[in-house]
Amino acid sequence: MIRVDALWLSTTPLDMRAGTETILARVVQVFGEARPHHAYLFANRRANRMKVLIHDGHGIWLANRRLNQGRFYWRQGNASVELSRPQFDALVLGLPWERLANGGVIRII
């Protein structure tokens, strides 16, 4: 099991051909550093593919997810957002994660 203490989403689109080193460089550029036990999420321009880079304290893990239908609900712009675990769970399922506040409480309709 990979321990993840914090989840960070980059709103800037990423070329999905990028590999581990390129995405690690993007993490440092966008977030300032790659912290151990943090996961960094990136999506392509169409928001139907996502890559997640995780620094486990010893090395780097890179995973990807592709939706066969629909899109991920991805915030637009050039920013970064910290996600709660319920928000992350909704995001990877393609659900509107921004409607969930901490603890899974719905605040926006």
Side-chain angles (χ1 to χ4, degrees):
M1 191 65 133
I2 302 169
R3 184 178 122 206
V4 175
D5 296 335
L7 298 150
W8 297 92
L9 177 138
S10 172
T11 60
T12 306
L14 178 74
D15 182 347
M16 288 294 117
R17 296 174 293 182
T20 306
E21 299 302 320
T22 303
I23 297 174
L24 181 58
R26 178 68 72 90
V27 167
V28 172
Q29 175 188 11
V30 172
F31 300 99
E33 60 191 356
R35 293 177 172 236
H37 310 293
H38 285 218
Y40 303 92
L41 291 77
F42 298 89
N44 62 343
R45 192 170 308 280
R46 292 187 297 170
N48 64 345
R49 295 174 187 256
M50 176 190 344
K51 285 198 173 182
V52 180
L53 184 131
I54 302 170
H55 178 12
D56 69 0
H58 301 287
I60 301 296
W61 294 82
L62 183 62
N64 64 54
R65 180 160 172 84
R66 177 177 59 97
L67 292 179
N68 291 324
Q69 294 179 350
R71 307 172 93 156
F72 294 109
Y73 285 85
W74 213 267
R75 187 178 286 180
Q76 300 299 312
N78 292 322
S80 59
V81 179
E82 185 173 10
L83 300 177
S84 66
R85 183 59 194 231
Q87 288 174 323
F88 172 76
D89 292 342
L91 172 67
V92 297
L93 292 174
L95 299 174
W97 61 272
E98 290 184 295
R99 294 182 183 178
L100 297 176
N102 289 334
V105 177
I106 298 172
R107 300 216 188 272
I108 302 170
I109 298 178

